[in-house]
């Protein structure tokens, strides 16, 4: 008997569906069927010695069953490769890909077109002719929308996507009123750009022309999301199309934008501002359906993609602070350029955060405004991948490629993206394939580098006119409908332009003003004022007791038990170390109602194994956070080991601090110099955001720093780079030497009514140095000291006054004791910026008999704090400088050489005849 004869009696629709399930997820079908399908696949894909396909399976299997399988393979072909054969490029032909979706590639022929196949049920159309099945597949997968999703590994997501695509063959189905609304938003996009092009000839505006369908797409996304319960939207986007988005989506007055175009000065003197297409905006508006929503577009620099990490941090902060029961109520939207998303490594870092506990935001909608060009670089030179969005496959996110000229398809794709995000809480990518009407900016000549492309663009109609013609053909609008829309919109713009020219100054509205209502922007003199950071001893004792006792019913490794118990011993013996400074700072702030978020590489334990903020149960690895067990009404303490990223994580945590001023947000580098991986964040946001965009931010950066013979990459936190960025009132830079000062510094960061970035160069060897301890009273009743005087010497006997910072103080102290020198004072400068001039001058005055003033640093002369002091303190010009010689690398790789250089500096501090610079 024929071993496949049982198939003659089977209902073909049943095994067609079964085979479809098998192709999606082999483990989902019964084992015997799985074995059968595996055998079929093997037979159909094997080849004989002459290279011809084997006929073994096909000759034994009933022909109608064999063809059903082949039709299913065809359907799978469209699902997997249909996106390669779409009509998604509005201005040039697509590249050719092999193999195609021709029937012959699936063992089918023209003669099969009118035969009915049960495989049609897989795409929701029932038993249909092959011709009809192909028509549906072309409509679903090869029209104006190309969908990539078959790499997703969760069958329920694939099934959801396929069911969604099968509805109306993945074609839009809007009512006449909805179509008119889409046209209205499209007209706003087109008319806004043409108005600016006329009124501000040659000015940079980075127009959206060629991708105007972004505006109706964003409008539809926000309206639909609000109906799905989204309350807040946070968007990050670069310059292209930003002005149109601000006006036509976020509701920023065109009058304000015109003021910015006119280049007027700003109302505030202590504010430098930024170009108009970098500014942020926050607005509360009502949707067409009457729902109240909050919209924020984050300020961004010209450094493409940087804002993406910041947006994710802002969103996570809002979710944690206001929507912890349903985080999906805050929706991040990131708008990319095609060259940037493919070329900037930060995108990969941000994408990798998407499902991590410390960074996830329940799914981001990524939209690529695809111009098919980056400045002057063709897309074939801009990436090796097929698509600019291929980074989305890292997290197995669905990607939709859409023809930007087909505005209904764009809006339809946006609805798909939103519904997927709300259902599965995962990222989605929309590749909006359009073009750029002008050069990179409006004064640029694109025909120099893309003459053929721009010849085609010059003849191409804008998407509004294309859509208007379609609606006229459908009888939805009349011939003069668009002209009336354009006139009404431009008349309003003209009124705004006239009003703007009656105003002399430009007023910049603060970003996220509501979150910052209780905080004031301050200048340098306020930063230098003392802040009360005292805390009762009894309270410190209570916190210590909690963080010194692990749950008795759980088993921990003995070493960690002893370490945790030692916290109580330190408190009782009145010798608190650096780790206790951190724990008690966090604990007291939590008790006062603040939250603490700590993030970075290996921060839970600490790179140098000093923190142990998270303790693991030995058998189960259950995580215990003792700082969350202090009291019922305390704030929340969270700490996350980050992915191995600096740029992305610093950007995220900066964004978090931007949206949550009531949270102490800390990022710690594994070693201080690793922060240079986030240099763009330092230059564009941390040091400059308040000056450019009126943004306060309290992010704390802990940068392990100190010369201990570990080589060039583990010695310096690159102090000089941060100090070079310091100006007026933009940030704090510290290099603390005692646990008490670190404790008060962290508390001071939250107790003031303003926020500034805080850069702290933290110790490594000092974490366990016997002299680096503080008393309980210093914690309870002390305060942060910008300068720490030398109380071990008599002022009138001092001949040499040494100013020093950080760990180097203890090296000098050891040498002074060894030499039994009583005429050398070691004064520690704990705050490097703002420079505590008053306290430094007071020290100089106190040691009036000193005729030798020294600036001592362990860093090379061209690094460290010397050049900073020279620029910011007049007295530094007469300092004798003790440092390493100038070097290109921060430290020597040889520990012997490193110790020799270190000792030379120490020797010169105490004996001016031993000048190591000669």
């Amino acid at each position: 008997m024929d071993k496949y004869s049982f198939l003659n009696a089977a209902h073909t629709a049943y095994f067609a569906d079964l085979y479809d399930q098998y192709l999606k997820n082999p483990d989902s079908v019964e084992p015997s069927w799985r074995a059968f399908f595996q055998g079929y696949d093997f037979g159909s894909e094997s080849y004989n010695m002459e290279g011809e396909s084997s006929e073994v399976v096909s000759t034994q299997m009933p022909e109608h069953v064999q063809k059903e399988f082949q039709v299913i393979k065809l359907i799978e072909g469209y699902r997997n490769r249909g996106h390669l054969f779409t009509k998604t490029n509005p201005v040039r032909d697509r590249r050719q890909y092999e193999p195609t979706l021709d029937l012959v590639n699936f063992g089918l022929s023209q003669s099969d077109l009118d035969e009915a196949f049960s495989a049609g049920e897989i795409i929701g159309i029932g038993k249909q002719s092959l011709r009809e099945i192909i028509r549906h597949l072309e409509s679903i997968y090869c029209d104006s929308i190309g969908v990539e999703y078959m790499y997703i590994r969760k069958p329920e997501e694939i099934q959801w996507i396929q069911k969604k695509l099968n509805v109306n063959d993945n074609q839009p189905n809007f009512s006449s009123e909805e179509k008119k609304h889409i046209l209205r938003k499209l007209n706003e996009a087109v008319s806004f750009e043409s108005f600016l092009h006329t009124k501000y000839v040659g000015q940079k505006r980075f127009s959206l022309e060629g991708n105007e369908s972004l505006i109706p797409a964003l409008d539809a996304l926000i309206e639909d999301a609000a109906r799905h319960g989204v309350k807040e939207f946070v968007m990050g986007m670069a310059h292209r199309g930003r002005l149109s988005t601000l006006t036509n989506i976020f509701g920023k007055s065109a009058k304000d934008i015109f003021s910015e175009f006119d280049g007027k000065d700003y109302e505030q003197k202590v504010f430098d501002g930024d170009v108009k297409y970098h500014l942020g905006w926050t607005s509360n508006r009502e949707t067409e359906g009457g729902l109240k929503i909050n919209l924020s577009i984050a300020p961004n620099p010209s450094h493409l993609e940087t804002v993406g990490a910041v947006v994710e941090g802002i969103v996570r902060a809002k979710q944690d602070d206001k929507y912890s029961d349903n985080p999906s109520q805050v929706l991040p939207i990131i708008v990319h350029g095609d060259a940037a998303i493919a070329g900037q490594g930060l995108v990969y870092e941000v994408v990798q955060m998407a499902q991590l506990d410390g960074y996830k935001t329940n799914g981001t909608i990524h939209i690529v405004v695809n111009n098919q060009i980056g400045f002057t670089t063709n897309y074939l030179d801009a990436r090796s991948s097929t698509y600019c969005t291929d980074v989305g496959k890292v997290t197995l996110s669905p990607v939709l490629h859409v023809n930007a000229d087909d505005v209904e398809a764009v809006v339809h794709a946006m609805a798909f993206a939103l519904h997927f995000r709300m259902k599965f809480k995962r990222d989605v990518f929309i590749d909006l394939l359009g073009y750029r009407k002008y050069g990179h900016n409006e004064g640029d000549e694109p025909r120099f580098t893309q003459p053929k492309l721009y010849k085609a663009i010059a003849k191409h109609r804008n998407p509004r006119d294309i859509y208007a013609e379609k609606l006229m053909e459908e009888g939805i609008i009349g011939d003069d409908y668009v002209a009336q829309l354009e006139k009404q919109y431009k008349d309003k713009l003209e009124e705004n332009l006239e009003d703007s020219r009656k105003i002399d100054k430009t007023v910049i509205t603060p970003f996220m003003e509501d979150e910052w209502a209780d905080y004031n922007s301050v200048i340098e003199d306020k930063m230098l004022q003392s802040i009360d950071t005292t805390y009762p001893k009894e309270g410190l004792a209570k916190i210590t007791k909690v963080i010194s006792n692990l749950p008795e019913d759980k088993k921990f490794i003995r070493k960690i038990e002893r370490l945790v118990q030692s916290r109580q011993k330190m408190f009782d013996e009145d010798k608190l170390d650096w780790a206790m400074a951190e724990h008690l700072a966090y604990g007291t702030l939590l008790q006062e109602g603040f939250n603490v978020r700590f993030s970075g590489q290996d921060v839970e334990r600490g790179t140098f194994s000093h923190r142990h903020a998270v303790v693991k149960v030995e058998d189960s690895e259950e995580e215990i956070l003792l700082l969350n067990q202090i009291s019922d009404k305390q704030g929340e303490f969270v700490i996350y080991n980050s992915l191995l990223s600096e740029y992305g994580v610093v950007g995220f945590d900066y964004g978090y601090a931007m949206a949550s001023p009531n949270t102490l947000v800390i990022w710690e580098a594994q070693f201080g110099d690793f922060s240079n991986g986030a240099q763009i964040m330092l230059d564009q946001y941390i040091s400059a955001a308040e000056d450019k965009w009126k943004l306060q931010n309290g992010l704390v950066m802990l940068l392990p720093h100190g010369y201990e013979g570990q080589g060039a990459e583990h010695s310096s936190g690159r102090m000089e780079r941060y100090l070079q960025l310091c100006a007026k009132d933009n940030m704090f830079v510290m290099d603390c030497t005692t646990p008490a000062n670190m404790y008060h510094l962290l508390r001071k960061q939250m107790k003031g009514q303003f926020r500034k970035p805080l850069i702290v160069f933290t110790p490594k060897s000092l974490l366990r140095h016997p002299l680096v301890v503080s008393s309980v009273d210093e914690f309870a009743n002390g305060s942060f000291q910008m300068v720490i005087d030398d109380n071990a010497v008599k002022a009138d006997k001092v001949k040499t006054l040494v100013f020093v910072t950080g760990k180097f103080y203890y090296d000098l102290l050891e040498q002074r004791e060894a030499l039994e020198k009583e005429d050398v004072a070691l004064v520690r400068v704990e705050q490097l910026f703002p420079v505590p001039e008053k306290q430094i001058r007071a020290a100089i005055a106190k040691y009036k008999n000193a005729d030798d003033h020294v600036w001592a640093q362990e860093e090379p002369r061209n690094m460290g704090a010397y050049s900073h002091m020279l620029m910011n303190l007049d007295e530094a010009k007469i300092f004798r400088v003790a440092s390493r010689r100038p070097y290109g690398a921060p430290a020597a790789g040889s520990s012997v050489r490193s110790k020799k250089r270190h000792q030379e500096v120490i020797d010169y501090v105490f004996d001016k005849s031993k000048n190591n610079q000669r």
Side-chain angles (χ1 to χ4, degrees):
M1 184 178 175
D2 181 354
K3 65 178 179 179
Y4 293 109
S5 61
F6 71 97
L7 294 172
N8 285 312
H11 194 288
T12 53
Y14 168 72
F15 60 73
D17 183 60
L18 206 59
Y19 185 52
D20 186 48
Q21 288 180 41
Y22 162 78
L23 290 172
K24 292 176 192 169
N25 180 19
D27 293 335
S28 67
V29 300
E30 194 269 332
S32 61
W33 276 109
R34 183 166 64 247
F36 170 73
F37 292 139
Q38 286 170 341
Y40 168 74
D41 283 348
F42 176 77
S44 61
E45 292 168 10
S46 63
Y47 291 83
N48 60 24
M49 294 297 288
E50 284 74 37
E52 296 172 349
S53 181
S54 171
E55 298 291 331
V56 176
V57 173
S58 59
T59 56
Q60 295 184 21
M61 185 179 290
E63 185 180 0
H64 71 286
V65 175
Q66 169 75 8
K67 286 198 172 179
E68 286 284 359
F69 282 162
Q70 289 165 334
V71 174
I72 294 169
K73 286 282 192 181
L74 174 67
I75 293 170
E76 286 299 298
Y78 272 90
R79 288 169 171 173
N80 280 292
R81 294 173 54 78
H83 59 87
L84 297 172
F85 308 101
T86 55
K87 307 177 185 75
T88 48
N89 198 319
V91 288
R92 54 184 168 194
D93 294 333
R94 291 204 61 182
R95 287 180 279 178
Q96 300 299 307
Y97 297 94
E98 296 289 341
T100 66
L101 297 173
D102 289 345
L103 292 175
V104 67
N105 291 324
F106 299 92
L108 297 164
S109 66
Q110 293 289 318
S111 62
D112 298 314
L113 285 173
D114 294 318
E115 186 176 340
F117 292 95
S118 297
E121 296 193 14
I122 294 170
I123 57 173
I125 61 173
K127 188 173 184 177
Q128 291 285 352
S129 69
L130 179 57
R131 189 185 304 277
E132 188 64 12
I133 290 171
I134 291 172
R135 188 186 69 77
H136 280 271
L137 291 171
E138 286 284 327
S139 181
I140 294 169
Y141 293 106
C142 299
D143 201 354
S144 292
I145 302 175
V147 190
E148 293 184 273
Y149 68 96
M150 288 299 286
Y151 42 77
I152 294 174
R153 295 173 190 150
K154 293 185 177 179
E156 65 271 25
E157 291 185 12
I158 289 182
Q159 288 165 10
W160 184 92
I161 290 171
Q162 289 176 350
K163 186 176 180 182
K164 195 82 172 172
L165 295 177
N166 290 342
V167 175
N168 200 42
D169 287 352
N170 194 29
Q171 296 295 314
N173 186 22
F174 298 115
S175 67
S176 295
E177 287 306 310
E178 288 171 328
K179 291 180 179 182
K180 286 182 179 179
H181 180 79
I182 291 170
L183 178 62
R184 179 167 65 83
K185 298 306 292 185
L186 197 51
N187 173 70
E188 290 174 5
V190 171
S191 300
F192 179 80
E193 299 293 358
S194 66
F195 185 86
L196 290 180
H197 193 65
T198 303
K199 300 295 182 180
Y200 296 97
V201 179
Q203 274 213 43
K204 286 184 182 180
R205 57 190 165 89
F206 298 100
S207 85
L208 190 57
E209 287 160 283
N211 257 302
E212 294 98 330
S213 52
L214 174 69
I215 298 303
L218 290 173
D219 174 72
L221 173 63
I222 290 166
E223 291 287 335
D224 197 3
R227 289 191 292 271
H228 280 77
V230 174
K231 304 287 191 231
E232 298 197 37
F233 301 79
V234 184
M235 182 187 291
M237 72 181 298
H239 38 278
R240 187 155 313 284
R242 189 182 185 91
L243 298 179
S244 181
T245 302
L246 280 166
T247 299
N248 296 314
I249 298 298
F250 283 78
K252 182 172 182 177
S253 169
K255 180 180 74 173
D256 293 339
I257 288 176
F258 296 148
S259 288
E260 293 157 12
F261 261 102
D262 288 332
K264 298 169 185 173
D265 200 0
Y266 301 106
E267 189 179 47
Q268 286 182 297
K269 290 183 179 179
V270 290
F271 171 65
D272 279 348
D274 199 357
V275 292
K276 51 195 167 288
Y277 38 81
H278 287 173
L279 300 174
W281 181 260
T282 299
S283 63
N284 293 302
R285 56 165 270 200
E286 200 170 279
T287 67
E288 298 276 339
L291 299 169
K292 292 182 179 178
I293 55 172
N294 178 275
L295 301 170
S296 294
I297 184 167
N300 68 283
S302 285
H303 296 66
L304 298 173
E305 301 297 342
T306 304
V307 75
V310 176
V311 163
E312 298 292 358
I314 293 171
V315 169
R316 178 59 182 262
K318 286 175 174 284
Q319 291 175 338
D320 288 349
D321 289 350
K322 297 192 278 186
Y323 304 98
S324 57
D325 57 331
N326 184 8
S328 295
Q329 289 178 291
V330 188
L331 175 63
I333 305 165
I334 301 179
V335 181
H336 309 265
D338 53 307
I341 193 174
Q344 292 293 315
L346 177 62
V347 179
Y348 183 88
E349 296 181 35
V350 173
V351 165
Q352 279 288 20
M353 294 180 189
Q355 296 299 314
L356 302 180
D357 285 345
Y359 308 92
K360 64 184 178 185
T361 54
N362 278 25
T364 299
I365 293 182
H366 298 267
I367 305 169
V368 180
V369 176
N370 191 336
N371 302 310
Q372 308 185 56
I373 189 171
F375 207 143
T376 66
T377 304
N378 283 314
Y379 72 98
L380 291 173
D381 297 318
R383 61 180 185 266
S384 297
S385 59
T386 301
Y387 296 113
C388 62
T389 51
D390 280 350
V391 68
K393 295 170 186 174
V394 169
T395 47
L396 308 178
S397 302
V399 180
L400 289 83
H401 307 277
V402 196
N403 188 324
D405 270 0
D406 188 342
V407 65
E408 287 189 16
V410 173
V411 173
H412 180 74
M414 203 62 73
F416 172 99
L418 173 70
H419 299 164
F420 181 89
R421 185 265 181 181
M422 298 304 289
K423 172 75 174 174
F424 296 107
K425 300 175 175 54
R426 297 217 300 111
D427 289 7
V428 192
F429 288 75
I430 303 282
D431 179 14
L432 192 59
L433 204 72
Y435 55 92
R436 189 186 68 198
K437 185 174 180 180
Y438 304 106
H440 177 65
N441 62 65
E442 285 65 34
D444 199 35
E445 176 52 83
R447 290 177 296 178
F448 288 153
T449 50
Q450 281 81 26
K452 185 178 176 183
L453 173 62
Y454 273 86
K455 194 174 288 185
I457 289 172
K459 300 173 184 175
H460 198 75
R461 291 186 300 162
N462 68 57
R464 181 200 63 185
D465 293 347
I466 292 170
Y467 189 49
E469 182 179 326
K470 178 177 183 287
L471 297 191
M472 281 188 276
E473 289 173 356
E474 293 177 9
I476 293 173
I477 62 170
D479 293 346
D480 61 346
Y481 187 85
V482 171
Q484 290 175 2
L485 276 183
E486 184 170 13
K487 183 179 184 304
Q488 290 168 4
Y489 184 74
K490 285 190 173 178
D491 285 348
K492 288 181 183 177
L493 292 179
E494 197 68 56
E495 289 174 19
N496 276 280
L497 180 61
E498 290 177 16
D499 290 344
S500 76
R501 289 180 173 167
K502 297 173 186 175
I503 301 168
D504 295 330
K505 302 281 186 182
T506 295
V507 179
I508 301 298
T509 305
F511 178 65
M512 292 197 298
E513 198 167 15
D514 290 347
E515 281 83 349
W516 290 90
D518 297 330
Y519 299 87
N520 303 311
S521 184
V522 301
I523 56 176
E524 189 176 356
D525 62 337
K526 292 285 186 184
M527 294 171 69
L528 288 165
Q529 290 179 2
S530 181
I531 292 174
D532 182 8
T533 54
T534 59
Y535 196 85
K537 281 187 180 180
E538 313 84 69
L540 292 171
K542 178 186 175 183
I543 296 166
T544 300
K545 184 176 180 180
V546 172
I547 64 173
S548 303
N549 288 280
L550 292 165
E552 293 181 1
D553 59 340
K554 300 181 189 298
K555 184 181 178 185
F556 301 89
I557 64 170
R558 289 298 303 278
K559 194 170 184 179
I560 198 70
E561 284 181 337
R562 289 195 298 270
L563 189 149
V564 171
Q565 290 165 3
S566 72
R567 296 168 180 169
Q568 186 66 56
K569 183 181 178 184
M570 279 188 277
F571 191 89
D572 295 341
E573 294 180 353
D574 206 25
K575 292 181 178 179
L576 301 173
D577 70 359
W578 204 274
M580 282 298 285
E582 283 194 43
H583 286 302
L584 290 175
Y586 307 146
T588 54
L589 289 171
L590 292 168
Q591 283 291 78
E592 291 170 328
F594 297 101
N595 297 318
V596 178
R597 174 189 167 88
F598 204 134
S599 166
Q601 293 159 24
D602 311 297
V603 297
E604 294 178 7
R605 190 203 73 173
T607 298
F608 312 105
S609 198
H610 80 289
R611 183 171 297 119
H612 296 281
V614 177
V615 181
K616 300 284 184 78
V617 176
E618 184 176 2
D619 299 329
S620 64
E621 293 196 2
E622 176 190 351
E623 296 186 346
I624 306 295
L625 278 76
L626 295 172
L627 281 167
N628 279 330
Q629 299 176 13
I630 301 169
S631 69
D632 294 335
K633 295 182 179 180
Q634 70 170 78
E636 184 181 17
F637 176 82
V638 295
I639 185 165
Y640 301 104
N641 286 340
S642 74
L643 65 162
L644 198 65
S645 151
E646 287 83 32
Y647 190 179
V649 176
V650 170
F652 186 101
D653 285 333
Y654 180 88
Y656 197 105
M658 189 192 296
S660 188
N662 201 49
T663 300
L664 176 65
V665 183
I666 303 173
W667 177 80
E668 182 177 62
Q670 196 171 64
F671 287 90
D673 56 338
F674 289 3
S675 67
N676 59 19
Q679 194 65 45
I680 290 173
M681 279 304 309
L682 303 174
D683 294 343
Q684 305 307 320
Y685 280 95
I686 291 168
S687 66
E690 189 166 5
D691 221 15
K692 292 193 292 187
W693 306 316
K694 294 172 73 171
L695 291 182
Q696 293 191 67
N697 195 290
L699 177 67
V700 179
M701 297 180 70
L702 303 183
L703 309 176
H705 172 89
Y707 281 61
E708 288 128 349
Q710 294 190 60
E713 273 74 57
H714 296 98
S715 298
S716 173
R718 292 291 191 173
M719 181 185 291
E720 63 282 353
R721 293 187 178 171
Y722 292 88
L723 294 173
Q724 186 185 38
L725 293 171
C726 292
K728 296 187 298 184
D729 51 21
N730 66 336
M731 63 173 118
F732 288 105
V733 179
M734 310 290 184
D735 192 2
C736 298
T737 59
T738 72
N741 229 22
M742 184 64 179
Y743 165 84
H744 288 292
L745 175 61
L746 291 171
R747 286 182 50 72
K748 174 177 173 282
Q749 182 69 357
M750 298 306 292
K751 297 290 283 182
Q753 288 306 112
F754 64 90
R755 296 287 180 264
K756 302 281 183 179
L758 169 60
I759 313 301
V760 189
F761 294 96
T762 53
K764 294 171 288 180
S765 61
L766 298 193
L767 295 173
R768 295 173 180 83
H769 195 293
L771 295 181
V772 185
V773 291
S774 300
S775 69
V776 175
D777 187 67
E778 286 176 300
F779 276 52
N781 300 313
S783 63
F784 176 73
Q785 299 177 70
M786 289 179 262
V787 173
I788 299 179
D789 197 4
D790 191 340
N791 296 320
V793 294
K794 292 181 179 179
D796 58 346
K797 290 186 177 181
V798 170
K799 299 299 182 184
T800 299
L801 171 59
V802 180
F803 290 102
V804 64
T805 185
K807 187 267 302 180
F808 199 40
Y809 162 78
Y810 291 95
D811 298 336
L812 297 180
L813 181 63
E814 183 181 0
Q815 182 79 351
R816 185 175 73 177
E817 291 175 353
L819 296 172
E820 297 181 349
K821 298 276 282 186
E822 296 181 356
D823 61 349
V824 177
L826 303 175
V827 176
R828 287 169 271 177
V829 181
E830 303 277 292
Q831 178 169 300
L832 293 167
F833 192 82
V835 176
E837 298 177 42
K838 181 180 175 182
Q839 290 86 341
I840 292 174
R841 287 177 182 137
I844 294 173
K846 176 181 175 181
Y847 300 101
K848 58 187 177 183
N849 294 331
D851 58 5
D852 182 23
H853 296 165
V854 179
W855 177 264
Q857 64 179 45
E858 56 187 346
E859 301 86 2
R861 179 73 63 94
N862 58 320
M863 301 176 194
Y866 172 60
S867 60
H868 167 72
M869 299 305 292
L870 197 61
M871 186 172 72
N872 289 280
L873 184 74
D874 289 340
E875 287 80 357
K877 293 170 185 173
I878 61 167
F879 288 173
R880 176 166 63 88
V881 185
S883 71
R884 281 170 163 80
R885 296 181 183 88
Y887 291 106
S894 161
S895 60
V896 172
R897 181 173 293 186
S898 180
K899 286 176 184 176
K900 179 176 178 290
R901 289 177 179 175
H902 200 70
Q903 190 59 46
E904 285 175 352
V905 180
I906 293 172
D907 291 343
Y908 182 49
V909 169
F910 293 96
D911 185 347
K912 65 175 71 175
S913 69
K914 296 182 177 180
N915 189 348
N916 65 317
Q917 300 292 317
R918 292 172 184 158

